Amino acid sequence: MPDSSDGPTVLRILLGSHLRRLREAKGITARHAASQIRASESKISRMELGRNAIREIDVLDLLTLYGVDPREREQLLNLAEQSNKPGWWHRYNDILPEWFQAYVGMEEAARSIRVYEAQFIPGLLQTEDYATAVISLGDFPIEQAERLVVVRKERQRRFRDGKLKLWIILDEVALRRPVAGSAIQLEQLGYLREACANPMLTLQVIPYGAGGHAVPAGFSILRFAERDLPDVVYVENLTSALYLDKQADVDRYLLAMERLSIVAYEPHETPRILDEIIGQTREAADDKSS
């Protein structure tokens, strides 16, 4: 069994996975299980997918129905208790939509994340000033925008601490897009240049001249240390997000990531590309000031 350091979101997913296997092993339908806890069949589905907090009394009733032995019962009840403890991001639930809180919880538990991004530098690699500039595009009130920047910095903690591997593929335009002044842009590019030396980061750039590809939008693929957990694909929209964990869907995105990596420059070329863009950005800034 995992411990609470895995984060409540992943613990809920693990618990739900265990409950589903126990139910299926007994040949019990979701409808019958739902009737035992005075709930709907959709609630059983949400519990087994780890989408919501799970009441310990419901877990106890289901374990009784499934005939679980005392030792495993104790482990699963402990898992239920740990999974309901709020994560650090719950302090910001007044400014973070529920669909994004779910992602932050998975991100906190992930062992590695693969990202393709065409618009901006991904949040996990943004400097504070660059993040402020990007968030300001959303027209948030000043106080809320400041707190969103804090959330973004906190999300970067596990990468800074060497606990999260990142494989990022960026379109070159994302590196050149002037979301803020040249000073902020240069600071951001310089941070990426330094980060290239971090063994926890693989950074690739798709050049301007590269041919088209069949990936219409950015996405992330999260992988967890627990073998029971499948990879999860996260695709964010303006007002919601998709979470895909069916193997067929995940495989499509894994294949897309592989194809993007072939179109992109090799990782060892990224420092040279960044140096070129930094030089060109600095030169353009000097021309404007002269």
Side-chain angles (χ1 to χ4, degrees), residues 144 152 174 253 265:
Q144 185 174 343
R152 196 156 296 188
Y253 278 90
Y265 288 112

Side-chain angles (χ1 to χ4, degrees), residues 234-276:
Y234 173 77
V235 185
E236 185 173 315
N237 302 309
L238 190 60
T239 57
S240 62
L242 294 174
Y243 293 87
L244 307 172
D245 58 5
K246 290 183 179 179
Q247 195 60 53
D249 292 332
V250 173
D251 286 345
R252 287 287 299 275
Y253 278 90
L254 287 171
L255 179 59
M257 194 73 180
E258 292 289 344
R259 288 175 172 170
L260 289 169
S261 72
I262 294 172
V263 174
Y265 288 112
E266 292 288 336
H268 67 83
E269 297 184 85
T270 301
R272 173 187 60 80
I273 297 165
L274 287 169
D275 286 340
E276 289 178 1

Side-chain angles (χ1 to χ4, degrees), residues 33-90:
S35 68
Q36 297 302 300
I37 61 171
R38 300 156 298 283
S40 64
E41 188 174 346
S42 63
K43 179 175 180 178
I44 292 294
S45 177
R46 292 194 300 274
M47 289 174 62
E48 293 181 350
L49 291 171
R51 295 289 189 259
N52 301 103
I54 302 176
R55 297 194 311 163
E56 291 177 53
I57 186 63
D58 289 339
V59 174
L60 182 60
D61 288 345
L62 290 174
L63 295 180
T64 299
L65 175 65
Y66 302 155
V68 176
D69 65 67
R71 180 175 176 277
E72 186 175 7
R73 178 191 297 252
E74 181 180 354
Q75 289 180 326
L76 290 172
L77 286 173
N78 179 63
L79 187 56
E81 179 185 2
Q82 296 295 332
S83 72
N84 287 323
K85 293 182 178 179
W88 63 262
W89 56 93
H90 285 88

Side-chain angles (χ1 to χ4, degrees), residues 78-141:
N78 179 63
L79 187 56
E81 179 185 2
Q82 296 295 332
S83 72
N84 287 323
K85 293 182 178 179
W88 63 262
W89 56 93
H90 285 88
R91 300 195 303 271
Y92 303 94
N93 60 10
D94 58 322
I95 61 172
L96 296 178
E98 288 188 13
W99 54 264
F100 189 67
Q101 290 183 50
Y103 172 74
V104 176
M106 291 184 184
E107 189 179 76
E108 186 74 8
R111 179 185 66 186
S112 66
I113 303 178
R114 311 179 197 193
V115 179
Y116 165 64
E117 180 57 63
Q119 294 294 322
F120 303 109
I121 310 302
L124 291 173
L125 293 178
Q126 290 178 2
T127 62
E128 183 173 346
D129 286 341
Y130 184 94
T132 299
V134 172
I135 289 171
S136 69
L137 297 175
D139 296 323
F140 296 102

Side-chain angles (χ1 to χ4, degrees), residues 15-34:
L15 176 60
S17 178
H18 280 293
L19 291 174
R20 185 185 69 251
R21 285 200 299 270
L22 288 169
R23 177 178 62 77
E24 292 175 346
K26 290 292 184 178
I28 296 172
T29 66
R31 177 175 297 182
H32 180 55

Side-chain angles (χ1 to χ4, degrees), residues 179-200:
V179 299
S182 57
I184 292 176
Q185 198 75 5
L186 286 168
E187 179 190 35
Q188 176 65 73
L189 292 169
Y191 172 75
L192 291 179
R193 178 65 175 83
E194 293 177 5
C196 287
N198 189 332
M200 300 297 285

